[in-house]
Amino acid sequence: MAALIAENFRFLSLFFKSKDVMIFNGLVALGTVGSEELFSVVAFNCPCSPARNYIYGLAAIGVPALALFLIGVIWNNHTWNLVAECHKRGTKNFSAAATFLLFGSIMGRATVAPITWSVISLLRGEAYICALSEFVKPSSLDKFPAENGAEVLAKFPCRDVPANLTKFRDEVTRRLRYESQLFGWLLIGIVAVLVFLTKCLKHCCSPLSYRQEAYWAQYRSNEDKLFRRTAEVHSRILAAKNVKQFFGFVALDKEEKELVQEFPVEGVQPSPQWNAITGVYIYRENKGFPLYSRLHKWAKGVEGNGPTPEGHELLFLAS
């Protein structure tokens, strides 16, 4: 148990440090596996009662998957960029292809954890056995006592059955686990094929060369790191100035004093500038030169979000 908890805390630590999409998705999958194992050990407890088994079994698979999906949508930066875009500018600048690409990116990342949860649940089989044991036809079991029906079959996942029904319980459990694992492997195969086709389609439709796309990814990562780091320093210095103005002095440590002396902050950026660098960004070029982000476009003094006579919109979303 301690190992599982430590594994999940380690996953959370790596999760917030990871920027690479493949590493990000891998960490999400590993964290989901550890969480599912912990859930099975601690929380899963089949009621072994007719009508309740089915609801409980499906809920054990579906409800955590739904929660993980919503968390994935919430934690995706594209979601809030889309909200900001719709609030500030509307969707008039997006074509159907761009909108599909954006939602596909959000949904694709958000489904990593719920699919992993569903696959692990199906491969383990406990929830599937709990949900469907009562629906096994007694006639499909050789020499199954006719006086026993769904009420007895519903108790098979709990192993709370008379000794003369033990062999039937083992057969039902084995049959349902086979079906559950078969669905799990099929789901893995379908997802693998879809991921492969999506990657192929992405690279075939990309307007960028492989090297330029790699450069764009490096630029986005560096811009984000530098922006966050600079914003933290800027906000700290501005806060120190405001606190000093209110109290007449400000208690700073040595590092903060050096920051205040090294980086003079006169004020804050006006709202139009923040709005200009916030929102959905799809790769664009202006007079043949690439614009790698909204900040890059603002720095170059390019106005608007849509294609212009001297600018060219390329429907390729930052992943």
Side-chain angles (χ1 to χ4, degrees):
M1 183 67 65
L4 285 174
I5 296 175
E7 177 184 351
N8 279 271
F9 275 110
R10 195 178 304 115
F11 155 72
L12 289 174
S13 175
L14 291 172
F15 177 89
F16 288 106
K17 294 179 181 178
S18 175
K19 297 297 181 183
D20 185 80
V21 174
M22 296 302 295
I23 296 177
F24 174 87
N25 291 339
L27 290 174
V28 170
L30 288 175
T32 306
V33 171
S35 300
E36 204 282 337
E37 291 288 337
L38 183 62
F39 172 81
S40 297
V41 172
V42 177
F44 186 80
N45 187 16
C46 185
C48 294
S49 174
R52 295 180 180 177
N53 282 15
Y54 183 70
I55 297 175
Y56 185 83
L58 291 184
I61 299 175
V63 173
L66 177 61
L68 290 170
F69 174 77
L70 294 177
I71 291 173
V73 172
I74 292 171
W75 278 355
N76 194 324
N77 289 335
H78 287 327
T79 302
W80 306 115
N81 284 333
L82 178 61
V83 171
E85 187 73 22
C86 293
H87 177 65
K88 296 296 182 183
R89 306 176 187 90
T91 57
K92 59 183 180 180
N93 293 319
F94 290 127
S95 63
T99 303
F100 176 79
L101 188 64
L102 176 61
F103 278 101
S105 175
I106 295 174
M107 296 299 108
R109 290 194 190 183
T111 55
V112 173
I115 288 177
T116 304
W117 179 278
S118 300
V119 166
I120 298 302
S121 296
L122 289 172
L123 292 180
R124 288 181 61 89
E126 281 85 352
Y128 187 89
I129 293 172
C130 177
L132 297 181
S133 62
E134 64 182 285
F135 298 103
V136 175
K137 294 182 179 180
S139 59
S140 65
L141 301 173
D142 186 32
K143 297 181 181 180
F144 187 77
E147 65 274 10
N148 297 316
E151 188 169 339
V152 174
L153 290 169
K155 296 181 180 179
F156 279 8
C158 296
R159 301 179 181 273
D160 185 17
V161 295
N164 64 320
L165 297 179
T166 301
K167 65 175 183 177
F168 298 108
R169 181 201 65 201
D170 294 340
E171 182 179 350
V172 169
T173 301
R174 183 170 56 252
R175 183 187 303 180
L176 293 177
R177 180 168 282 112
Y178 153 76
E179 293 178 2
S180 179
Q181 292 183 348
L182 177 62
F183 290 140
W185 291 120
L186 288 175
L187 182 57
I188 290 176
I190 292 171
V191 171
V193 171
L194 289 176
V195 170
F196 172 74
L197 294 177
T198 302
K199 294 292 288 184
C200 290
L201 183 63
K202 175 186 175 184
H203 287 289
C204 289
C205 298
S206 172
L208 307 179
S209 66
Y210 174 77
R211 290 186 180 276
Q212 189 179 10
E213 187 175 338
Y215 177 85
W216 187 25
Q218 291 174 346
Y219 173 85
R220 291 197 313 269
S221 177
N222 289 326
E223 181 188 84
D224 183 66
K225 290 177 182 177
L226 291 172
F227 188 91
R228 290 176 181 273
R229 192 185 309 164
T230 305
E232 180 183 358
V233 173
H234 186 282
S235 61
R236 187 182 304 179
I237 296 173
L238 182 63
K241 286 191 172 184
N242 292 337
V243 171
K244 183 177 181 179
Q245 185 174 356
F246 183 81
F247 287 107
F249 73 96
V250 59
L252 300 175
D253 57 29
K254 182 179 180 181
E255 179 184 354
E256 290 170 335
K257 288 179 180 179
E258 293 175 352
L259 288 176
V260 171
Q261 293 175 357
E262 184 176 359
F263 303 110
V265 173
E266 300 300 332
V268 297
Q269 285 65 34
S271 294
Q273 289 187 9
W274 285 104
N275 294 337
I277 66 170
T278 302
V280 176
Y281 184 75
I282 297 177
Y283 178 83
R284 287 176 172 84
E285 293 180 358
N286 182 263
K287 297 180 180 180
F289 291 94
L291 299 172
Y292 290 121
S293 69
R294 281 194 168 277
L295 182 60
H296 187 191
K297 187 174 68 172
W298 173 85
K300 289 295 183 181
V302 179
E303 298 294 335
N305 190 43
T308 61
E310 65 276 0
H312 182 56
E313 176 185 13
L314 298 175
L315 298 181
F316 193 56
L317 184 69
S319 57

